[in-house]
């Protein structure tokens, strides 16, 4: 009888769907907003409280709880060969300021539920299996995001991340110290270790699966992105006495740049161009702004297009600065990637055995699986979300979709942990 199976049962049969749904709703209470969403930003008191509950659930199942120097939180189910590289699954529990209940959190709790179910089964897989909640995937408080997975895989140096500050001047270093101090009973481990494979379950964050009434998305890859921060420096002046021709208005210069950048991006159906952050100094109604600071989020699945458009951004900003000065900094560049066919086949095979419809789908959003792709074989499982809405307080997915994705995940994790 293969480990993880008993009396003809598959690992997916051991998933407790009601427990998983209750836990999703419970975690949504940490940072709950009045509009039904979640504001649980990275390394916040709300996230500290949610992590404590996650750790308690893991211990109830007999799992080992660990963390690392960037605050990644792990739950480990031991295998019959503890020295073997583990199979890893998870996502993140930090949110956007007006986020939803499922983005990231579904992947963490689906992985934890798989481990809880498997811990109660008759046997163990050969390899250990671990669930993980990565630190600061969203980047809404500390930019850029993906800090946990990038530190784990060595893509970025820890010291540089620790120095990043939020808008209030709080550093990652000080916020992280509070997180780790709140977990004195959690064992520490070094950053990074060999991983056999990584699988991340997630809501689609798009409308395709729901529109096509398809249960499971087998993610083929992730489109590329480039992210910039632009600082426009002008001169503060009296709004009533300074002639417009003599002004160095940072906001008007920034607006001109953004309009030109939107034109540069071209076809809105083809290129994703977003300015989601805009700050003004001194931000007073009767003062000509001396500074404007804004973000650029550029995405495209073709790396050649992404490279050409991203490289043109600094010149476009400088050409439209007017009387002001401008500084353009690229803070992140992640090329498009394709997940290995072997993992995609494992996911589709598991879906078929469970009688679930599936299709291959490309991820337009970034995920921690992007960083793990360069560290080990990686893949993703998507489930539908209502109207494709995400990063929004109305974000929703149905309980049966949560159940379907979690069952597929459980079977895939066991195949990876006890097979090749």
């Amino acid at each position: 009888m293969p480990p993880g199976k008993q009396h003809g049962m598959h690992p997916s049969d051991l998933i407790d769907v009601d427990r998983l749904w209750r836990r999703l709703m419970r975690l949504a209470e940490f940072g709950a907003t009045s509009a039904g969403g979640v504001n649980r930003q990275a390394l916040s008191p709300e996230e500290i409280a949610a992590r404590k509950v996650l750790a308690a659930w893991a211990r109830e199942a007999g799992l080992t709880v660990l963390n690392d120097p960037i605050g990644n939180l792990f739950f480990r189910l031991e295998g019959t060969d503890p020295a073997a590289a583990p199979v890893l699954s998870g996502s993140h529990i930090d949110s956007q300021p007006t986020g939803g209940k499922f983005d990231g959190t579904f992947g963490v709790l689906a992985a934890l539920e798989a481990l809880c179910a498997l811990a109660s089964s008759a046997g163990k897989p050969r390899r250990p299996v671990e669930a993980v909640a990565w630190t600061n995937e969203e980047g809404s408080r500390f930019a850029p995001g993906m800090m946990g997975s990038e530190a784990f895989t060595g893509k970025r140096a820890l010291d540089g991340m620790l120095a990043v500050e939020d808008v209030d001047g709080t550093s990652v270093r000080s916020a992280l110290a509070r997180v780790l101090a709140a977990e004195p009973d959690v064992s520490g481990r070094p950053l990074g270790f060999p991983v056999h494979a990584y699988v991340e379950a997630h809501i689609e964050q798009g409308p395709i699966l729901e529109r096509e009434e398809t249960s499971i998305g087998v993610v083929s890859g992730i489109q590329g992105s480039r992210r910039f921060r632009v600082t426009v420096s002008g001169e503060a002046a009296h709004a009533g006495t300074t002639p417009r021709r003599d002004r160095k208005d940072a906001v008007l210069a920034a607006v001109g740049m953004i309009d030109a950048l939107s034109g540069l991006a071209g076809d809105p159906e083809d290129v994703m161009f977003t300015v989601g952050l805009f700050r003004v100094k001194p931000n007073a109604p009767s003062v000509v702004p001396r500074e404007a600071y804004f973000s650029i989020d550029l995405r495209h699945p073709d790396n050649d297009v992404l490279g050409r458009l991203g490289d043109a951004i600094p010149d476009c900003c400088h050409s439209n600065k007017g009387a002001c000065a401008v500084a353009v900094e690229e803070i992140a560049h992640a090329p498009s990637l394709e997940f290995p066919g072997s993992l995609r086949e494992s996911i589709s095979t598991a879906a078929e055995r469970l009688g679930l419809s599936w299709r291959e789908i490309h991820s337009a959003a970034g995920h921690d699986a992007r960083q793990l792709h360069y560290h080990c074989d990686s893949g993703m499982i998507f489930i539908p979300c209502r109207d494709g809405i995400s990063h929004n307080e109305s974000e929703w997915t149905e309980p049966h979709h949560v159940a379907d994705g979690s069952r597929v995940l459980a079977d895939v994790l066991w195949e990876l942990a006890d097979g090749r």
Side-chain angles (χ1 to χ4, degrees), residues 190-346:
L191 276 172
F193 49 81
V195 176
H196 177 65
Y198 175 73
V199 185
E200 182 168 354
H202 210 282
I203 60 171
E204 180 194 347
Q205 300 182 289
I208 295 172
L209 295 178
E210 182 188 52
R211 182 184 300 150
E212 297 183 359
E213 298 184 346
T214 301
S215 297
I216 298 295
V218 181
V219 182
S220 57
I222 300 177
Q223 78 171 343
S225 68
R226 298 182 71 171
R227 301 182 185 189
F228 299 81
R229 296 291 185 267
V230 181
T231 304
V232 184
S233 300
E235 184 176 82
H238 195 292
T241 62
T242 308
R244 289 173 62 190
R245 65 178 176 274
D246 296 333
R247 296 181 181 186
K248 296 180 180 179
D249 189 322
V251 164
L252 289 184
V255 169
M257 292 176 201
I258 293 168
D259 183 58
L261 289 166
S262 181
L264 173 71
D267 185 357
E269 297 299 320
D270 186 46
V271 179
M272 298 297 181
F273 168 79
T274 305
V275 174
L277 171 69
F278 198 102
R279 299 177 188 149
V280 179
K281 292 181 181 178
N283 204 27
S286 296
V287 179
V288 176
R290 72 170 185 272
E291 182 180 291
Y293 177 86
F294 64 93
S295 64
I296 299 171
D297 186 314
L298 179 71
R299 306 189 192 208
H300 197 277
D302 186 321
N303 285 324
D304 290 339
V305 174
L306 185 68
R308 174 176 56 81
L309 292 177
D311 290 348
I313 283 175
D315 285 345
C316 185
C317 289
H318 282 280
S319 297
N320 291 275
K321 67 180 182 179
C324 296
V326 62
V328 181
E329 178 188 10
E330 183 167 13
I331 65 169
H333 183 178
S336 292
L337 60 86
E338 183 175 304
F339 291 130
S342 58
L343 256 179
R344 287 148 61 182
E345 184 178 358
S346 294

Side-chain angles (χ1 to χ4, degrees), residues 18-83:
D18 291 337
R19 174 173 62 190
L20 174 56
W21 187 260
R22 287 196 306 271
R23 288 177 172 179
L24 276 164
M25 296 303 104
R26 173 72 175 111
L27 227 59
E29 295 174 10
F30 299 102
T33 66
S34 59
V38 173
N39 179 9
R40 187 172 58 237
Q41 296 186 60
L43 309 179
S44 63
E46 294 80 12
E47 191 180 37
I48 290 173
R51 286 165 65 100
K52 183 176 181 180
V53 170
L54 277 173
W57 290 335
R59 290 192 180 98
E60 287 175 9
L63 306 178
T64 303
V65 182
L66 308 107
N67 58 27
D68 66 16
I70 193 61
N72 295 320
L73 188 62
F74 300 90
F75 313 120
R76 179 179 174 96
L77 174 68
E78 203 58 78
T80 58
D81 181 4

Side-chain angles (χ1 to χ4, degrees), residues 356-370:
L356 300 172
S357 59
W358 66 273
R359 61 158 288 170
E360 287 215 341
I361 187 169
H362 201 72
S363 176
H367 301 281
D368 291 301
R370 170 187 288 285

Side-chain angles (χ1 to χ4, degrees), residues 69-103:
I70 193 61
N72 295 320
L73 188 62
F74 300 90
F75 313 120
R76 179 179 174 96
L77 174 68
E78 203 58 78
T80 58
D81 181 4
V87 174
L88 195 58
S89 180
S91 192
H92 61 96
I93 63 167
D94 66 305
S95 80
Q96 292 290 330
T98 53
K101 297 180 175 72
F102 302 95
D103 177 6

